[in-house]
Amino acid sequence: MSGRRVLLHCNAGVEAGMGHLMRTLTIAREARDRGWTASVFGDVDAVGAEVLRRMDPELELLTVDGAAASLGDFAELGRDADVIHLDTYREVPDLSSLAVLLSNMQDGPFGVRDADLAIDANLASERTFASPERSRSHLAGIDAAVVRAQVLAQRDARKTAAAAPRVLIVMGGTDPHGVTARVVAAFDRVPSPVEITVIDPRRRPDVLSAAGSSRHAVQVLGFVEDLPAIAASHDLAVTAAGTSVWDFACMGLPMALVCVADNQRVGYRQVVEQGLAVGLGEPPHHGLEERIGALADLLASPASLARTAAELKRTVDGLGSWRIVASWEQLLTTRPSVEPPSGLVARAANVDDGRRLFEWRNDPEVRSGSRSRGEIDWRSHTDWLARSLRNPDRRLLIVESDGVPVATCRWDRRSADEWEISITVAPESRGRGLAASVLQAAERALAAQPPVRMVATVHGDNVASRRLFERAGYLPYLPADDAGFLTLARWRLS
């Protein structure tokens, strides 16, 4: 049990929508599962309060009606909190005077504010991260997407066969442009039979009318407690480009997206441009009906749907909430420190460094922290060195102090924007407090344009290495694997 407390601030209801609340509830559940006490605070109307009660009846809700929350509200309600987490587009007072860790969820340019930890969980947000200088630490990109336990429970669910493709239509609680009814009616352009489920909490007359006159079998549901369980039985979701996109992606449910709000435009365009969903348009939604009709080809191709489902599951791993809460826990004990510039310099390794690298690699202490702990023979080492020097996706460096080699660093490219680091300090240079300066020199030598995610894999028992990267701002990225190795990562943002 951690004995820690988090105050989570969001606003939700018929007018504000439920996206912020759903994300907040998911993070609160992750924190409570890890031993935290959690409270939700904000302008949450009766509908939002009922959603919270249904989803997590034990979670404390502290409401502020209508008016913006004041500094006094935050100070009073968060007086014994370790973390205040903000997930709102509304103005929030300057909370820097409060002795808490400030965590902030931003969506592109919306909700940006000063914080200790800033999170933008939109696809490719590492390329568009707004005002990174306003935060000490960052979680960026789709790996930070907050995915509910209900979704994870459906991630590996098996679909039962159906006579016709099944389509789920869900535009959220607000649907300000009245798109739901248009989408239902537009499916008459799909000639083959389709089974349609519509989620419309308000059960609006235009939606019911479109459903009643459709050529397809249409079922209209109001509020549902477990949307993922319903979604899991469908072949395609036609949905607004909000937070549910990442739920459906994690489940592997192919999507056709409609942008229904200004704050969805950036995310909508990124998802569509990367081929993760079919784009149905932005306000004022000209050509929506024609695009719906064009879905007929996708619905008629089970193979295409299956390929899309697999790609979506690879893209969203469902660990976003874990990354957020684990980052809080780390930052409460180890705040990133800015090391002053050191005199260490990293240069490219060459064949003349072979003997030195061979001896360092076979040092018992080095082998004890490696995945491969056996000794390396000379021939294998020279073959490895030759391959490494030729490899365009590897940067093998020697770090020197006044011209004397004191360490080596290897960067390996794991993807277009991701490099993994491995550091070895020379046996004769240990105990001099050089590790942080070696890491600093190695990062300077990584000539890769932002955004770059720098990744470090260390064994959980290797406390010194773990502390090194934590102090350098690397945050939890993957839990320990079966061999005890965990992964930390830090973004270099533009």
Side-chain angles (χ1 to χ4, degrees):
M1 301 291 285
S2 76
R4 291 170 173 154
R5 177 172 179 252
V6 57
L7 178 68
L8 304 108
H9 175 63
C10 71
N11 306 296
V14 173
E15 296 301 322
M18 297 297 173
H20 296 281
L21 179 62
M22 301 304 288
R23 194 158 57 184
T24 296
L25 291 176
T26 302
I27 296 172
R29 170 56 62 187
E30 175 70 27
R32 290 169 63 199
D33 287 347
R34 296 172 70 91
W36 290 62
T37 300
S39 303
V40 173
F41 153 56
D43 178 13
V44 179
D45 70 10
V47 175
E50 177 63 15
V51 170
L52 184 148
R53 187 193 67 78
R54 287 173 177 269
M55 293 193 64
D56 196 341
E58 297 180 2
L59 182 60
E60 182 181 35
L61 173 63
L62 310 166
T63 60
V64 173
D65 294 330
S70 68
L71 177 60
D73 292 327
F74 281 99
E76 173 64 21
L77 299 175
R79 63 184 181 276
D80 60 345
D82 299 280
V83 174
I84 292 180
H85 177 73
L86 307 170
D87 192 344
T88 179
Y89 299 153
R90 298 185 191 176
E91 289 294 323
V92 171
D94 180 4
L95 304 180
S96 60
S97 61
L98 303 182
V100 295
L101 181 80
L102 293 178
S103 171
N104 184 62
M105 185 71 75
Q106 60 189 57
D107 287 323
F110 297 91
V112 178
R113 52 183 64 89
D114 295 338
D116 296 295
L117 175 66
I119 307 149
D120 188 336
N122 288 299
L123 181 69
S125 63
E126 63 274 12
R127 300 183 179 280
T128 59
F129 203 98
S131 303
E133 73 281 356
R134 298 186 65 174
S135 305
R136 293 185 180 184
S137 301
H138 312 90
L139 292 175
I142 197 60
D143 289 327
V146 174
V147 177
R148 292 175 287 154
Q150 289 171 306
V151 174
L152 296 175
Q154 301 297 333
R155 183 171 166 86
D156 296 316
R158 300 185 65 178
K159 252 188 210 101
T160 57
R166 294 157 295 190
V167 175
L168 175 70
I169 300 174
V170 54
M171 294 296 158
T174 53
D175 189 10
H177 299 279
V179 172
T180 303
R182 288 181 62 185
V183 170
V184 174
F187 264 94
D188 279 355
R189 295 173 177 246
V190 176
S192 299
V194 178
E195 296 177 6
I196 299 174
T197 303
V198 183
I199 307 297
D200 182 24
R202 300 184 188 181
R203 299 183 69 84
R204 287 162 291 191
D206 60 337
V207 174
L208 296 173
S209 175
S213 59
S214 175
R215 62 182 293 179
H216 302 291
V218 182
Q219 178 185 26
V220 180
L221 303 179
F223 173 79
V224 294
E225 292 190 18
D226 195 348
L227 177 59
I230 293 173
S233 64
H234 290 73
D235 302 292
L236 177 73
V238 180
T239 182
T243 55
S244 61
V245 168
W246 309 125
D247 288 348
F248 295 152
C250 187
M251 293 170 55
L253 177 60
M255 289 170 283
L257 295 189
V258 184
C259 177
V260 299
D262 286 342
N263 65 289
Q264 294 180 1
R265 290 184 189 272
V266 173
Y268 167 84
R269 292 171 185 173
Q270 289 171 339
V271 173
V272 173
E273 286 170 6
Q274 294 208 17
L276 297 176
V278 177
L280 298 179
E282 305 176 30
H285 303 112
H286 296 310
L288 174 64
E289 285 75 14
E290 290 78 5
R291 294 188 181 100
I292 293 289
L295 294 175
D297 290 341
L298 176 61
L299 291 169
S301 175
S304 295
L305 290 169
R307 284 193 299 270
T308 301
E311 179 61 23
L312 289 170
K313 291 175 73 172
R314 283 193 296 269
T315 302
V316 182
D317 64 9
L319 291 174
S321 297
W322 175 87
R323 292 184 175 105
I324 292 170
V325 179
S327 293
W328 295 347
E329 293 173 347
Q330 176 179 305
L331 292 171
L332 285 172
T333 58
T334 308
R335 294 292 182 103
S337 60
V338 179
E339 292 288 330
S342 70
L344 300 189
V345 176
R347 63 165 174 83
N350 56 59
V351 292
D352 294 335
D353 296 305
R355 176 59 61 178
R356 178 182 295 113
L357 292 171
F358 175 70
E359 293 173 353
W360 291 356
R361 169 59 183 83
N362 279 330
D363 178 78
E365 187 170 328
V366 173
R367 288 190 286 113
S368 68
S370 302
R371 285 190 182 273
S372 177
R373 299 188 177 185
E375 285 196 34
I376 304 297
D377 64 80
W378 175 249
R379 181 170 181 176
S380 297
H381 171 73
T382 55
D383 288 345
W384 169 87
L385 179 59
R387 292 195 305 273
S388 295
L389 297 178
R390 293 193 305 266
N391 188 350
D393 293 326
R394 174 166 289 177
R395 304 286 186 270
L396 186 60
L397 306 173
I398 299 294
V399 181
E400 297 181 336
S401 175
D402 296 326
V404 178
V406 296
T408 181
C409 168
R410 187 181 76 243
W411 289 103
D412 288 304
R413 190 199 300 269
R414 301 200 336 176
S415 66
D417 299 330
E418 183 172 292
W419 291 81
E420 182 173 10
I421 189 171
S422 175
I423 290 176
T424 298
V425 176
E428 62 272 16
S429 297
R430 294 180 193 141
R432 295 166 52 189
L434 293 177
S437 297
V438 169
L439 175 57
Q440 182 189 73
E443 290 183 346
R444 287 199 305 266
L446 180 60
Q449 291 300 310
V452 176
R453 179 161 50 201
M454 298 174 289
V455 173
T457 301
V458 298
H459 197 278
D461 293 338
N462 192 341
V463 177
S465 290
R466 184 172 180 175
R467 289 295 183 190
L468 166 67
F469 290 106
E470 289 175 348
R471 285 194 294 267
Y474 288 64
L475 297 174
Y477 181 59
L478 291 175
D481 60 19
D482 292 341
F485 287 88
L486 52 89
T487 305
L488 303 169
R490 180 168 79 85
W491 277 107
R492 176 191 290 173
L493 299 173
S494 56

